[in-house]
């Protein structure tokens, strides 16, 4: 019953039902892509499920009170950047994001739908955006506040969103594989020596 009540907050259409199993399809007009620029920003203590706020970003009051995010927290001060975004997943831990702006922007809020984690980093022109500009949006997602200095007045640019801690997994995998190759080499050498001695 609680699950059914929860689902009433979303514009869903049943596409399959069989006994206790139901598959729903969500209306595409109320779904944000993996990476997007919100239409507006609102703050408070709770998320608002009103369809008016679907393409908006929610920032909690505690985060809003921090200096870098304060001006983004009120609709009158947030101005959506008019931009076209396209992105490509280069790996599960790296996205290349192309942004083409209609005009130079004083700043923007960029949101990615991945679960908020400090390991996600945003890189523009080979430099990472500072940590205090990386915020939690919609109670789960990653958001970055980019100002005029970050954007350098450029209208067409590529930025990268990277899960930085993933590199440690890669390093660990390389070391493990290297160790296994050496170990197998020693085992093969021992077998060869035994055969020579017999």
């Amino acid at each position: 019953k609680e699950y059914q009540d929860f689902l009433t907050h979303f514009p869903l259409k049943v596409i399959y039902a069989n006994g206790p199993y139901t598959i729903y399809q969500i209306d595409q007009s109320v779904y944000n892509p993996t990476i997007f620029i919100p239409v507006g920003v609102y703050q408070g203590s709770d998320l608002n499920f009103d369809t008016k706020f679907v393409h908006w970003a929610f920032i909690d009051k505690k985060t809003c009170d921090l200096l870098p995010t304060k001006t983004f927290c009120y609709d009158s001060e947030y101005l959506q950047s008019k931009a076209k975004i396209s992105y490509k997943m280069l790996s599960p831990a790296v996205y290349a994001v192309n942004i083409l702006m209609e005009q130079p922007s004083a700043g923007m809020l960029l949101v990615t739908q991945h679960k908020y984690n400090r390991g996600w980093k945003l890189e523009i022109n080979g430099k990472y955006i500072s940590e205090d500009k990386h915020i939690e949006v919609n109670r789960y997602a990653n958001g970055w506040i980019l100002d005029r200095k970050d954007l350098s007045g450029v209208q067409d640019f590529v930025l990268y969103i990277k899960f930085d801690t993933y590199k440690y997994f890669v390093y660990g995998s390389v070391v493990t594989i290297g160790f296994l190759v050496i170990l197998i080499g020693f085992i093969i050498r021992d077998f060869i020596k035994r055969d020579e001695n017999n």
Side-chain angles (χ1 to χ4, degrees):
K1 185 180 181 309
E2 289 174 0
Y3 182 63
Q4 292 297 327
D5 291 343
F6 173 73
L7 292 177
T8 62
H9 293 291
F10 304 96
L12 300 171
K13 164 174 100 170
V14 175
I15 58 172
Y16 175 80
N18 185 358
Y21 304 105
T22 307
I23 298 175
Y24 298 92
Q25 180 178 16
I26 193 163
D27 184 344
Q28 295 291 330
S29 68
V30 297
Y31 183 79
N32 290 312
T34 302
I35 300 167
F36 70 100
I37 298 171
V39 171
V41 172
Y42 68 99
Q43 65 93 20
S45 55
D46 287 314
L47 276 166
N48 191 325
F49 287 105
D50 188 329
T51 53
K52 171 193 171 199
F53 293 107
V54 168
H55 302 294
W56 290 47
F58 168 79
I59 303 174
D60 67 45
K61 188 166 179 2
K62 181 180 160 194
T63 304
C64 280
D65 289 339
L66 299 174
L67 185 64
T69 61
K70 204 166 217 168
T71 59
F72 277 78
C73 290
Y74 305 98
D75 185 37
S76 59
E77 297 187 35
Y78 177 82
L79 182 62
Q80 180 193 20
S81 300
K82 302 292 185 199
K84 290 182 181 174
I85 294 181
S86 61
Y87 58 89
K88 184 174 184 180
M89 186 172 76
L90 304 178
S91 78
V94 181
Y95 288 82
V97 183
N98 295 307
I99 298 182
L100 177 59
M101 304 181 114
E102 292 178 12
Q103 59 191 30
S105 174
M108 74 163 70
L109 177 62
L110 185 71
V111 176
T112 178
Q113 302 272 31
H114 294 89
K115 179 161 176 40
Y116 179 79
N117 187 307
R118 282 283 178 199
W120 285 105
K121 308 288 183 196
L122 185 119
E123 180 187 319
I124 301 177
N125 297 327
K127 290 171 55 178
Y128 285 119
I129 299 301
S130 71
E131 282 296 314
D132 63 340
K133 294 180 178 181
H134 182 198
I135 61 172
E136 186 178 41
V137 175
N138 296 338
R139 290 243 191 263
Y140 75 93
N142 294 278
W144 286 272
I145 296 171
L146 306 175
D147 57 29
R148 190 185 305 273
K149 189 176 92 176
D150 299 320
L151 301 174
S152 306
V154 180
Q155 288 178 245
D156 186 4
F157 57 97
V158 177
L159 55 85
Y160 295 90
I161 297 172
K162 301 177 178 180
F163 193 62
D164 199 45
T165 53
Y166 183 73
K167 67 185 175 191
Y168 299 115
F169 170 76
V170 173
Y171 298 155
S173 299
V174 168
V175 169
T176 302
I177 290 168
F179 177 75
L180 285 173
V181 167
I182 291 169
L183 185 63
I184 290 168
F186 280 124
I187 291 170
I188 291 171
R189 188 188 72 177
D190 284 349
F191 274 122
I192 292 170
K193 280 186 176 179
R194 281 185 199 165
D195 284 347
E196 288 173 355
N197 291 338
N198 290 334

